[in-house]
Amino acid sequence: MGNQVSAPHDGPPVLLKGKDIASIAKYINSSDCHRVFVMLGAGVSTAAGIPDFRSPDTGLYSNLERLNLPYPEAVFEINYFRQNPMPFYTLARELYPGRFRPTLTHTFVKLLADHHLLDTCFTQNIDTLERQAGVPGDRIVEAHGSFAAQHCIDCHASLEGSKMKRAVETGEIVKCEACGGLVKPDIVFFGESLPQVFQQKVPRLRSADLLIVIGTSLTVHPFAALTGLVPAVCPRVLINIDPAGDIGTRPDDVVLLGRCDEIVRTLCEALGWEKELDREWAKTEILRPFEELLLVTPEAEKPSAAATTRPPADLDDAGTPPPVPEVAAAVPPTVTEAEAEDARVEAELELLTEQVAKGLEISEGVESRPPTTVTTAPEPAVKEDTGKDVQALPDSSQQGADDPSSEQKEGASTAKEKL
């Protein structure tokens, strides 16, 4: 589903003038491009000093050997966390936001919002660097969760971010005052469902004018399946070290191979945004306090300026995106082709939504309660340290984890599937 391997498209593009950066920039600046969707993987954050999962010697799993885990993925398994939460807390101290500066690519996503083009940024990363770069929170979907909130894994009582940060820094295990359950950041573990906001935002892809995929090998589902949910006439751009998914099989697919930040800078030059890029990235040199990033959550935020000044793009009261506008292409689709395309997107969307919904039903077995205070219960201090900065982003629906930089190929994983 979503990004099955297909033969490369050898014909000319339909909407774009060519399959290069100049053509992408011209399309973005045109009146045909209003709704831009972005998908980010951990390859975006490697330039910030946060390794991906599987790079030898420097990847996340290579740095977990000293924690004496039964297998590396256990640190992100909810059942193992219940038995022994200390390895995760040890790792969390290395991952906690506030230590890493956003990259040029994160800043580029902010510029898309500033220019009233960004509809939604789907990110696999838990590092909150999109927020740190200034991307409006209501435009971000942290598909695998993040450190932006924390709850009891049993009764779902919430905990203040400052308390969790203090506990992680001191090596204390946080326990719920109401039920005694363990508390952890809202990072999606194996055995947990994806955030509900992911399911809510996915239907918007049906009305995309442009999809930009950056720094991911598109091997982690259901995240990888999003590339197949945009209309067939929607240009898709991949910026990555290696080819990924089925991008390159449609007429208006563009594959740009190389380092994310270098390609993004060239694209901004073509857009006439280079000075803006440098100016906004310079602002990130002074990191915002992590607490400022957590004042509101995506579900509760008010619409940003981009949301109120962009061309009409909101869902209707029923939560359904407006019909995909007809594209003034040289060879417009026939009625039959248009109907077939609509049926294809609808079928894939329904299947993906059903899978995510089933996961939510499983994880919501405990009825929601009013907010409950949570206290920290001291535990023996952690003596070990991984010694390296790492990017934690477990796959919530299949074995293994994404290697977004695509510099190392995925191996077989021993973690259990969630969905």
PDB file of all heavy atoms in Angstrom, residues 101-115 132-135 265 268 273-288:
ATOM      1  N   ARG A 101      20.494  22.441  17.754  1.00  0.00           N
ATOM      2  CA  ARG A 101      20.020  23.573  16.954  1.00  0.00           C
ATOM      3  C   ARG A 101      19.338  23.059  15.687  1.00  0.00           C
ATOM      4  O   ARG A 101      19.827  22.130  15.039  1.00  0.00           O
ATOM      5  CB  ARG A 101      21.197  24.466  16.579  1.00  0.00           C
ATOM      6  CG  ARG A 101      20.816  25.685  15.745  1.00  0.00           C
ATOM      7  CD  ARG A 101      22.054  26.476  15.336  1.00  0.00           C
ATOM      8  NE  ARG A 101      21.698  27.646  14.551  1.00  0.00           N
ATOM      9  CZ  ARG A 101      22.572  28.495  14.015  1.00  0.00           C
ATOM     10  NH1 ARG A 101      23.876  28.268  14.186  1.00  0.00           N
ATOM     11  NH2 ARG A 101      22.169  29.539  13.314  1.00  0.00           N
ATOM     12  N   PRO A 102      18.230  23.662  15.284  1.00  0.00           N
ATOM     13  CA  PRO A 102      17.580  23.263  14.032  1.00  0.00           C
ATOM     14  C   PRO A 102      18.525  23.437  12.848  1.00  0.00           C
ATOM     15  O   PRO A 102      19.457  24.251  12.873  1.00  0.00           O
ATOM     16  CB  PRO A 102      16.381  24.217  13.941  1.00  0.00           C
ATOM     17  CG  PRO A 102      16.122  24.640  15.343  1.00  0.00           C
ATOM     18  CD  PRO A 102      17.459  24.687  16.014  1.00  0.00           C
ATOM     19  N   THR A 103      18.268  22.701  11.798  1.00  0.00           N
ATOM     20  CA  THR A 103      19.084  22.768  10.588  1.00  0.00           C
ATOM     21  C   THR A 103      18.465  23.742   9.584  1.00  0.00           C
ATOM     22  O   THR A 103      17.359  24.261   9.782  1.00  0.00           O
ATOM     23  CB  THR A 103      19.190  21.384   9.941  1.00  0.00           C
ATOM     24  OG1 THR A 103      17.890  20.998   9.464  1.00  0.00           O
ATOM     25  CG2 THR A 103      19.697  20.354  10.950  1.00  0.00           C
ATOM     26  N   LEU A 104      19.181  23.960   8.492  1.00  0.00           N
ATOM     27  CA  LEU A 104      18.636  24.791   7.421  1.00  0.00           C
ATOM     28  C   LEU A 104      17.341  24.209   6.879  1.00  0.00           C
ATOM     29  O   LEU A 104      16.432  24.942   6.485  1.00  0.00           O
ATOM     30  CB  LEU A 104      19.663  24.919   6.285  1.00  0.00           C
ATOM     31  CG  LEU A 104      20.887  25.820   6.533  1.00  0.00           C
ATOM     32  CD1 LEU A 104      21.849  25.703   5.365  1.00  0.00           C
ATOM     33  CD2 LEU A 104      20.468  27.268   6.737  1.00  0.00           C
ATOM     34  N   THR A 105      17.255  22.895   6.850  1.00  0.00           N
ATOM     35  CA  THR A 105      16.048  22.254   6.329  1.00  0.00           C
ATOM     36  C   THR A 105      14.852  22.540   7.228  1.00  0.00           C
ATOM     37  O   THR A 105      13.739  22.803   6.738  1.00  0.00           O
ATOM     38  CB  THR A 105      16.264  20.739   6.184  1.00  0.00           C
ATOM     39  OG1 THR A 105      17.360  20.506   5.304  1.00  0.00           O
ATOM     40  CG2 THR A 105      15.018  20.065   5.629  1.00  0.00           C
ATOM     41  N   HIS A 106      15.040  22.495   8.547  1.00  0.00           N
ATOM     42  CA  HIS A 106      13.954  22.862   9.454  1.00  0.00           C
ATOM     43  C   HIS A 106      13.516  24.315   9.203  1.00  0.00           C
ATOM     44  O   HIS A 106      12.318  24.626   9.219  1.00  0.00           O
ATOM     45  CB  HIS A 106      14.401  22.718  10.914  1.00  0.00           C
ATOM     46  CG  HIS A 106      14.645  21.303  11.338  1.00  0.00           C
ATOM     47  ND1 HIS A 106      15.903  20.794  11.540  1.00  0.00           N
ATOM     48  CD2 HIS A 106      13.785  20.280  11.606  1.00  0.00           C
ATOM     49  CE1 HIS A 106      15.818  19.529  11.917  1.00  0.00           C
ATOM     50  NE2 HIS A 106      14.545  19.188  11.955  1.00  0.00           N
ATOM     51  N   THR A 107      14.499  25.173   8.973  1.00  0.00           N
ATOM     52  CA  THR A 107      14.184  26.582   8.717  1.00  0.00           C
ATOM     53  C   THR A 107      13.434  26.747   7.404  1.00  0.00           C
ATOM     54  O   THR A 107      12.543  27.601   7.285  1.00  0.00           O
ATOM     55  CB  THR A 107      15.472  27.419   8.706  1.00  0.00           C
ATOM     56  OG1 THR A 107      16.150  27.272   9.962  1.00  0.00           O
ATOM     57  CG2 THR A 107      15.163  28.897   8.499  1.00  0.00           C
ATOM     58  N   PHE A 108      13.764  25.937   6.410  1.00  0.00           N
ATOM     59  CA  PHE A 108      13.045  25.976   5.134  1.00  0.00           C
ATOM     60  C   PHE A 108      11.562  25.675   5.337  1.00  0.00           C
ATOM     61  O   PHE A 108      10.698  26.311   4.713  1.00  0.00           O
ATOM     62  CB  PHE A 108      13.665  24.974   4.168  1.00  0.00           C
ATOM     63  CG  PHE A 108      12.847  24.715   2.936  1.00  0.00           C
ATOM     64  CD1 PHE A 108      12.616  25.713   2.001  1.00  0.00           C
ATOM     65  CD2 PHE A 108      12.291  23.456   2.705  1.00  0.00           C
ATOM     66  CE1 PHE A 108      11.855  25.465   0.861  1.00  0.00           C
ATOM     67  CE2 PHE A 108      11.534  23.204   1.576  1.00  0.00           C
ATOM     68  CZ  PHE A 108      11.310  24.210   0.654  1.00  0.00           C
ATOM     69  N   VAL A 109      11.259  24.711   6.196  1.00  0.00           N
ATOM     70  CA  VAL A 109       9.849  24.403   6.474  1.00  0.00           C
ATOM     71  C   VAL A 109       9.162  25.620   7.093  1.00  0.00           C
ATOM     72  O   VAL A 109       8.003  25.922   6.778  1.00  0.00           O
ATOM     73  CB  VAL A 109       9.738  23.182   7.402  1.00  0.00           C
ATOM     74  CG1 VAL A 109       8.272  22.881   7.715  1.00  0.00           C
ATOM     75  CG2 VAL A 109      10.391  21.961   6.768  1.00  0.00           C
ATOM     76  N   LYS A 110       9.876  26.337   7.960  1.00  0.00           N
ATOM     77  CA  LYS A 110       9.309  27.566   8.533  1.00  0.00           C
ATOM     78  C   LYS A 110       9.032  28.596   7.435  1.00  0.00           C
ATOM     79  O   LYS A 110       7.993  29.289   7.456  1.00  0.00           O
ATOM     80  CB  LYS A 110      10.251  28.173   9.565  1.00  0.00           C
ATOM     81  CG  LYS A 110       9.732  29.485  10.165  1.00  0.00           C
ATOM     82  CD  LYS A 110      10.716  30.136  11.095  1.00  0.00           C
ATOM     83  CE  LYS A 110      10.130  31.388  11.754  1.00  0.00           C
ATOM     84  NZ  LYS A 110       9.785  32.441  10.767  1.00  0.00           N
ATOM     85  N   LEU A 111       9.944  28.713   6.466  1.00  0.00           N
ATOM     86  CA  LEU A 111       9.731  29.675   5.385  1.00  0.00           C
ATOM     87  C   LEU A 111       8.490  29.321   4.572  1.00  0.00           C
ATOM     88  O   LEU A 111       7.760  30.211   4.121  1.00  0.00           O
ATOM     89  CB  LEU A 111      10.956  29.724   4.471  1.00  0.00           C
ATOM     90  CG  LEU A 111      12.238  30.324   5.058  1.00  0.00           C
ATOM     91  CD1 LEU A 111      13.307  30.430   3.980  1.00  0.00           C
ATOM     92  CD2 LEU A 111      11.976  31.687   5.682  1.00  0.00           C
ATOM     93  N   LEU A 112       8.248  28.032   4.368  1.00  0.00           N
ATOM     94  CA  LEU A 112       7.017  27.632   3.672  1.00  0.00           C
ATOM     95  C   LEU A 112       5.793  28.135   4.430  1.00  0.00           C
ATOM     96  O   LEU A 112       4.814  28.587   3.823  1.00  0.00           O
ATOM     97  CB  LEU A 112       6.961  26.110   3.530  1.00  0.00           C
ATOM     98  CG  LEU A 112       7.921  25.466   2.529  1.00  0.00           C
ATOM     99  CD1 LEU A 112       7.874  23.947   2.651  1.00  0.00           C
ATOM    100  CD2 LEU A 112       7.581  25.896   1.108  1.00  0.00           C
ATOM    101  N   ALA A 113       5.847  28.061   5.762  1.00  0.00           N
ATOM    102  CA  ALA A 113       4.745  28.584   6.573  1.00  0.00           C
ATOM    103  C   ALA A 113       4.677  30.097   6.483  1.00  0.00           C
ATOM    104  O   ALA A 113       3.592  30.689   6.368  1.00  0.00           O
ATOM    105  CB  ALA A 113       4.910  28.134   8.025  1.00  0.00           C
ATOM    106  N   ASP A 114       5.833  30.757   6.534  1.00  0.00           N
ATOM    107  CA  ASP A 114       5.861  32.219   6.453  1.00  0.00           C
ATOM    108  C   ASP A 114       5.274  32.722   5.139  1.00  0.00           C
ATOM    109  O   ASP A 114       4.679  33.806   5.085  1.00  0.00           O
ATOM    110  CB  ASP A 114       7.296  32.730   6.595  1.00  0.00           C
ATOM    111  CG  ASP A 114       7.862  32.533   7.992  1.00  0.00           C
ATOM    112  OD1 ASP A 114       7.072  32.262   8.926  1.00  0.00           O
ATOM    113  OD2 ASP A 114       9.100  32.638   8.149  1.00  0.00           O
ATOM    114  N   HIS A 115       5.453  31.951   4.082  1.00  0.00           N
ATOM    115  CA  HIS A 115       4.925  32.337   2.769  1.00  0.00           C
ATOM    116  C   HIS A 115       3.518  31.786   2.542  1.00  0.00           C
ATOM    117  O   HIS A 115       3.032  31.789   1.403  1.00  0.00           O
ATOM    118  CB  HIS A 115       5.874  31.853   1.667  1.00  0.00           C
ATOM    119  CG  HIS A 115       7.121  32.669   1.544  1.00  0.00           C
ATOM    120  ND1 HIS A 115       7.262  33.708   0.657  1.00  0.00           N
ATOM    121  CD2 HIS A 115       8.303  32.611   2.227  1.00  0.00           C
ATOM    122  CE1 HIS A 115       8.464  34.248   0.777  1.00  0.00           C
ATOM    123  NE2 HIS A 115       9.120  33.596   1.725  1.00  0.00           N
ATOM    124  N   GLN A 132      11.394  24.229  17.413  1.00  0.00           N
ATOM    125  CA  GLN A 132      12.508  25.115  17.742  1.00  0.00           C
ATOM    126  C   GLN A 132      12.824  26.057  16.583  1.00  0.00           C
ATOM    127  O   GLN A 132      13.236  27.200  16.793  1.00  0.00           O
ATOM    128  CB  GLN A 132      13.737  24.275  18.099  1.00  0.00           C
ATOM    129  CG  GLN A 132      14.907  25.049  18.656  1.00  0.00           C
ATOM    130  CD  GLN A 132      14.644  25.642  20.017  1.00  0.00           C
ATOM    131  OE1 GLN A 132      14.562  26.858  20.168  1.00  0.00           O
ATOM    132  NE2 GLN A 132      14.497  24.784  21.024  1.00  0.00           N
ATOM    133  N   ALA A 133      12.610  25.606  15.351  1.00  0.00           N
ATOM    134  CA  ALA A 133      12.861  26.442  14.176  1.00  0.00           C
ATOM    135  C   ALA A 133      11.777  27.490  13.970  1.00  0.00           C
ATOM    136  O   ALA A 133      11.957  28.415  13.167  1.00  0.00           O
ATOM    137  CB  ALA A 133      12.975  25.569  12.930  1.00  0.00           C
ATOM    138  N   GLY A 134      10.646  27.346  14.655  1.00  0.00           N
ATOM    139  CA  GLY A 134       9.568  28.320  14.530  1.00  0.00           C
ATOM    140  C   GLY A 134       8.435  27.894  13.633  1.00  0.00           C
ATOM    141  O   GLY A 134       7.567  28.716  13.293  1.00  0.00           O
ATOM    142  N   VAL A 135       8.402  26.636  13.222  1.00  0.00           N
ATOM    143  CA  VAL A 135       7.257  26.144  12.443  1.00  0.00           C
ATOM    144  C   VAL A 135       6.033  26.165  13.353  1.00  0.00           C
ATOM    145  O   VAL A 135       6.085  25.677  14.486  1.00  0.00           O
ATOM    146  CB  VAL A 135       7.507  24.711  11.936  1.00  0.00           C
ATOM    147  CG1 VAL A 135       6.297  24.210  11.141  1.00  0.00           C
ATOM    148  CG2 VAL A 135       8.763  24.656  11.089  1.00  0.00           C
ATOM    149  N   ARG A 265      19.301  24.719   0.365  1.00  0.00           N
ATOM    150  CA  ARG A 265      19.853  26.044   0.104  1.00  0.00           C
ATOM    151  C   ARG A 265      19.751  26.389  -1.381  1.00  0.00           C
ATOM    152  O   ARG A 265      19.363  27.522  -1.745  1.00  0.00           O
ATOM    153  CB  ARG A 265      21.303  26.131   0.579  1.00  0.00           C
ATOM    154  CG  ARG A 265      21.963  27.481   0.230  1.00  0.00           C
ATOM    155  CD  ARG A 265      23.330  27.634   0.834  1.00  0.00           C
ATOM    156  NE  ARG A 265      23.270  27.857   2.269  1.00  0.00           N
ATOM    157  CZ  ARG A 265      22.953  29.006   2.836  1.00  0.00           C
ATOM    158  NH1 ARG A 265      22.613  30.058   2.080  1.00  0.00           N
ATOM    159  NH2 ARG A 265      22.944  29.126   4.139  1.00  0.00           N
ATOM    160  N   CYS A 268      16.229  27.296  -2.179  1.00  0.00           N
ATOM    161  CA  CYS A 268      15.885  28.632  -1.682  1.00  0.00           C
ATOM    162  C   CYS A 268      16.492  29.720  -2.562  1.00  0.00           C
ATOM    163  O   CYS A 268      15.890  30.785  -2.750  1.00  0.00           O
ATOM    164  CB  CYS A 268      16.341  28.789  -0.234  1.00  0.00           C
ATOM    165  SG  CYS A 268      15.290  27.927   0.956  1.00  0.00           S
ATOM    166  N   TRP A 273      14.659  33.028  -1.843  1.00  0.00           N
ATOM    167  CA  TRP A 273      14.479  33.033  -0.389  1.00  0.00           C
ATOM    168  C   TRP A 273      15.803  32.902   0.374  1.00  0.00           C
ATOM    169  O   TRP A 273      15.794  32.721   1.586  1.00  0.00           O
ATOM    170  CB  TRP A 273      13.588  31.869   0.044  1.00  0.00           C
ATOM    171  CG  TRP A 273      12.181  31.912  -0.460  1.00  0.00           C
ATOM    172  CD1 TRP A 273      11.594  32.863  -1.239  1.00  0.00           C
ATOM    173  CD2 TRP A 273      11.169  30.916  -0.227  1.00  0.00           C
ATOM    174  NE1 TRP A 273      10.288  32.536  -1.506  1.00  0.00           N
ATOM    175  CE2 TRP A 273       9.997  31.338  -0.897  1.00  0.00           C
ATOM    176  CE3 TRP A 273      11.149  29.717   0.468  1.00  0.00           C
ATOM    177  CZ2 TRP A 273       8.816  30.601  -0.867  1.00  0.00           C
ATOM    178  CZ3 TRP A 273       9.973  28.975   0.500  1.00  0.00           C
ATOM    179  CH2 TRP A 273       8.807  29.421  -0.160  1.00  0.00           C
ATOM    180  N   GLU A 274      16.929  32.988  -0.293  1.00  0.00           N
ATOM    181  CA  GLU A 274      18.191  32.674   0.380  1.00  0.00           C
ATOM    182  C   GLU A 274      18.459  33.608   1.555  1.00  0.00           C
ATOM    183  O   GLU A 274      18.892  33.161   2.630  1.00  0.00           O
ATOM    184  CB  GLU A 274      19.354  32.732  -0.604  1.00  0.00           C
ATOM    185  CG  GLU A 274      20.660  32.249   0.023  1.00  0.00           C
ATOM    186  CD  GLU A 274      21.804  32.235  -0.965  1.00  0.00           C
ATOM    187  OE1 GLU A 274      21.673  32.874  -2.039  1.00  0.00           O
ATOM    188  OE2 GLU A 274      22.827  31.599  -0.660  1.00  0.00           O
ATOM    189  N   LYS A 275      18.224  34.908   1.384  1.00  0.00           N
ATOM    190  CA  LYS A 275      18.455  35.843   2.484  1.00  0.00           C
ATOM    191  C   LYS A 275      17.521  35.551   3.653  1.00  0.00           C
ATOM    192  O   LYS A 275      17.923  35.633   4.817  1.00  0.00           O
ATOM    193  CB  LYS A 275      18.282  37.281   1.997  1.00  0.00           C
ATOM    194  CG  LYS A 275      19.375  37.744   1.053  1.00  0.00           C
ATOM    195  CD  LYS A 275      19.199  39.208   0.670  1.00  0.00           C
ATOM    196  CE  LYS A 275      20.324  39.673  -0.249  1.00  0.00           C
ATOM    197  NZ  LYS A 275      20.163  41.096  -0.646  1.00  0.00           N
ATOM    198  N   GLU A 276      16.284  35.222   3.338  1.00  0.00           N
ATOM    199  CA  GLU A 276      15.338  34.856   4.399  1.00  0.00           C
ATOM    200  C   GLU A 276      15.797  33.605   5.127  1.00  0.00           C
ATOM    201  O   GLU A 276      15.705  33.517   6.354  1.00  0.00           O
ATOM    202  CB  GLU A 276      13.945  34.609   3.805  1.00  0.00           C
ATOM    203  CG  GLU A 276      13.252  35.812   3.243  1.00  0.00           C
ATOM    204  CD  GLU A 276      11.898  35.431   2.653  1.00  0.00           C
ATOM    205  OE1 GLU A 276      10.990  35.087   3.431  1.00  0.00           O
ATOM    206  OE2 GLU A 276      11.779  35.440   1.400  1.00  0.00           O
ATOM    207  N   LEU A 277      16.300  32.649   4.374  1.00  0.00           N
ATOM    208  CA  LEU A 277      16.773  31.402   4.973  1.00  0.00           C
ATOM    209  C   LEU A 277      17.899  31.679   5.960  1.00  0.00           C
ATOM    210  O   LEU A 277      17.873  31.189   7.103  1.00  0.00           O
ATOM    211  CB  LEU A 277      17.253  30.443   3.882  1.00  0.00           C
ATOM    212  CG  LEU A 277      17.783  29.085   4.354  1.00  0.00           C
ATOM    213  CD1 LEU A 277      16.644  28.225   4.882  1.00  0.00           C
ATOM    214  CD2 LEU A 277      18.508  28.361   3.217  1.00  0.00           C
ATOM    215  N   ASP A 278      18.874  32.480   5.548  1.00  0.00           N
ATOM    216  CA  ASP A 278      19.999  32.785   6.424  1.00  0.00           C
ATOM    217  C   ASP A 278      19.551  33.589   7.645  1.00  0.00           C
ATOM    218  O   ASP A 278      20.020  33.355   8.760  1.00  0.00           O
ATOM    219  CB  ASP A 278      21.077  33.550   5.656  1.00  0.00           C
ATOM    220  CG  ASP A 278      21.801  32.674   4.636  1.00  0.00           C
ATOM    221  OD1 ASP A 278      21.857  31.444   4.864  1.00  0.00           O
ATOM    222  OD2 ASP A 278      22.289  33.203   3.620  1.00  0.00           O
ATOM    223  N   ARG A 279      18.652  34.529   7.416  1.00  0.00           N
ATOM    224  CA  ARG A 279      18.180  35.361   8.526  1.00  0.00           C
ATOM    225  C   ARG A 279      17.430  34.537   9.566  1.00  0.00           C
ATOM    226  O   ARG A 279      17.679  34.658  10.772  1.00  0.00           O
ATOM    227  CB  ARG A 279      17.272  36.479   7.993  1.00  0.00           C
ATOM    228  CG  ARG A 279      16.784  37.428   9.091  1.00  0.00           C
ATOM    229  CD  ARG A 279      15.804  38.447   8.565  1.00  0.00           C
ATOM    230  NE  ARG A 279      14.548  37.835   8.161  1.00  0.00           N
ATOM    231  CZ  ARG A 279      14.061  37.885   6.928  1.00  0.00           C
ATOM    232  NH1 ARG A 279      14.733  38.481   5.966  1.00  0.00           N
ATOM    233  NH2 ARG A 279      12.904  37.295   6.645  1.00  0.00           N
ATOM    234  N   GLU A 280      16.515  33.694   9.114  1.00  0.00           N
ATOM    235  CA  GLU A 280      15.723  32.903  10.047  1.00  0.00           C
ATOM    236  C   GLU A 280      16.557  31.824  10.724  1.00  0.00           C
ATOM    237  O   GLU A 280      16.355  31.516  11.895  1.00  0.00           O
ATOM    238  CB  GLU A 280      14.530  32.274   9.318  1.00  0.00           C
ATOM    239  CG  GLU A 280      13.513  33.277   8.817  1.00  0.00           C
ATOM    240  CD  GLU A 280      12.959  34.147   9.939  1.00  0.00           C
ATOM    241  OE1 GLU A 280      12.656  33.598  11.023  1.00  0.00           O
ATOM    242  OE2 GLU A 280      12.849  35.367   9.742  1.00  0.00           O
ATOM    243  N   TRP A 281      17.510  31.242   9.994  1.00  0.00           N
ATOM    244  CA  TRP A 281      18.360  30.224  10.613  1.00  0.00           C
ATOM    245  C   TRP A 281      19.269  30.852  11.663  1.00  0.00           C
ATOM    246  O   TRP A 281      19.552  30.250  12.702  1.00  0.00           O
ATOM    247  CB  TRP A 281      19.188  29.496   9.561  1.00  0.00           C
ATOM    248  CG  TRP A 281      19.942  28.337  10.141  1.00  0.00           C
ATOM    249  CD1 TRP A 281      19.412  27.214  10.713  1.00  0.00           C
ATOM    250  CD2 TRP A 281      21.358  28.184  10.227  1.00  0.00           C
ATOM    251  NE1 TRP A 281      20.409  26.365  11.147  1.00  0.00           N
ATOM    252  CE2 TRP A 281      21.611  26.933  10.858  1.00  0.00           C
ATOM    253  CE3 TRP A 281      22.434  28.961   9.821  1.00  0.00           C
ATOM    254  CZ2 TRP A 281      22.901  26.466  11.097  1.00  0.00           C
ATOM    255  CZ3 TRP A 281      23.726  28.495  10.047  1.00  0.00           C
ATOM    256  CH2 TRP A 281      23.946  27.262  10.686  1.00  0.00           C
ATOM    257  N   ALA A 282      19.735  32.083  11.423  1.00  0.00           N
ATOM    258  CA  ALA A 282      20.589  32.779  12.403  1.00  0.00           C
ATOM    259  C   ALA A 282      19.849  32.949  13.728  1.00  0.00           C
ATOM    260  O   ALA A 282      20.466  32.907  14.803  1.00  0.00           O
ATOM    261  CB  ALA A 282      21.026  34.132  11.850  1.00  0.00           C
ATOM    262  N   LYS A 283      18.547  33.110  13.667  1.00  0.00           N
ATOM    263  CA  LYS A 283      17.760  33.271  14.891  1.00  0.00           C
ATOM    264  C   LYS A 283      17.778  32.017  15.761  1.00  0.00           C
ATOM    265  O   LYS A 283      17.576  32.095  16.969  1.00  0.00           O
ATOM    266  CB  LYS A 283      16.308  33.628  14.544  1.00  0.00           C
ATOM    267  CG  LYS A 283      16.126  34.980  13.881  1.00  0.00           C
ATOM    268  CD  LYS A 283      14.658  35.211  13.533  1.00  0.00           C
ATOM    269  CE  LYS A 283      14.453  36.542  12.831  1.00  0.00           C
ATOM    270  NZ  LYS A 283      13.031  36.763  12.442  1.00  0.00           N
ATOM    271  N   THR A 284      18.016  30.877  15.146  1.00  0.00           N
ATOM    272  CA  THR A 284      17.993  29.620  15.906  1.00  0.00           C
ATOM    273  C   THR A 284      19.285  29.379  16.672  1.00  0.00           C
ATOM    274  O   THR A 284      19.395  28.398  17.399  1.00  0.00           O
ATOM    275  CB  THR A 284      17.739  28.414  14.976  1.00  0.00           C
ATOM    276  OG1 THR A 284      18.867  28.237  14.098  1.00  0.00           O
ATOM    277  CG2 THR A 284      16.484  28.620  14.150  1.00  0.00           C
ATOM    278  N   GLU A 285      20.270  30.269  16.498  1.00  0.00           N
ATOM    279  CA  GLU A 285      21.525  30.097  17.227  1.00  0.00           C
ATOM    280  C   GLU A 285      21.296  30.168  18.726  1.00  0.00           C
ATOM    281  O   GLU A 285      21.966  29.497  19.514  1.00  0.00           O
ATOM    282  CB  GLU A 285      22.531  31.148  16.790  1.00  0.00           C
ATOM    283  CG  GLU A 285      23.919  30.953  17.374  1.00  0.00           C
ATOM    284  CD  GLU A 285      24.937  31.898  16.786  1.00  0.00           C
ATOM    285  OE1 GLU A 285      24.543  32.736  15.931  1.00  0.00           O
ATOM    286  OE2 GLU A 285      26.120  31.814  17.159  1.00  0.00           O
ATOM    287  N   ILE A 286      20.339  30.995  19.124  1.00  0.00           N
ATOM    288  CA  ILE A 286      19.932  31.059  20.530  1.00  0.00           C
ATOM    289  C   ILE A 286      18.672  30.209  20.673  1.00  0.00           C
ATOM    290  O   ILE A 286      17.606  30.577  20.183  1.00  0.00           O
ATOM    291  CB  ILE A 286      19.651  32.501  20.965  1.00  0.00           C
ATOM    292  CG1 ILE A 286      20.908  33.364  20.778  1.00  0.00           C
ATOM    293  CG2 ILE A 286      19.175  32.532  22.415  1.00  0.00           C
ATOM    294  CD1 ILE A 286      20.697  34.826  21.102  1.00  0.00           C
ATOM    295  N   LEU A 287      18.813  29.070  21.325  1.00  0.00           N
ATOM    296  CA  LEU A 287      17.695  28.149  21.435  1.00  0.00           C
ATOM    297  C   LEU A 287      16.633  28.681  22.374  1.00  0.00           C
ATOM    298  O   LEU A 287      16.933  29.228  23.430  1.00  0.00           O
ATOM    299  CB  LEU A 287      18.191  26.781  21.931  1.00  0.00           C
ATOM    300  CG  LEU A 287      19.194  26.058  21.034  1.00  0.00           C
ATOM    301  CD1 LEU A 287      19.590  24.726  21.655  1.00  0.00           C
ATOM    302  CD2 LEU A 287      18.614  25.846  19.638  1.00  0.00           C
ATOM    303  N   ARG A 288      15.401  28.512  21.963  1.00  0.00           N
ATOM    304  CA  ARG A 288      14.286  28.904  22.822  1.00  0.00           C
ATOM    305  C   ARG A 288      14.162  27.907  23.975  1.00  0.00           C
ATOM    306  O   ARG A 288      14.391  26.706  23.789  1.00  0.00           O
ATOM    307  CB  ARG A 288      12.986  28.919  22.013  1.00  0.00           C
ATOM    308  CG  ARG A 288      12.960  29.919  20.886  1.00  0.00           C
ATOM    309  CD  ARG A 288      11.847  29.627  19.909  1.00  0.00           C
ATOM    310  NE  ARG A 288      10.549  29.632  20.554  1.00  0.00           N
ATOM    311  CZ  ARG A 288       9.439  29.167  19.980  1.00  0.00           C
ATOM    312  NH1 ARG A 288       9.509  28.610  18.778  1.00  0.00           N
ATOM    313  NH2 ARG A 288       8.293  29.212  20.605  1.00  0.00           N
TER     314      ARG A 288
END
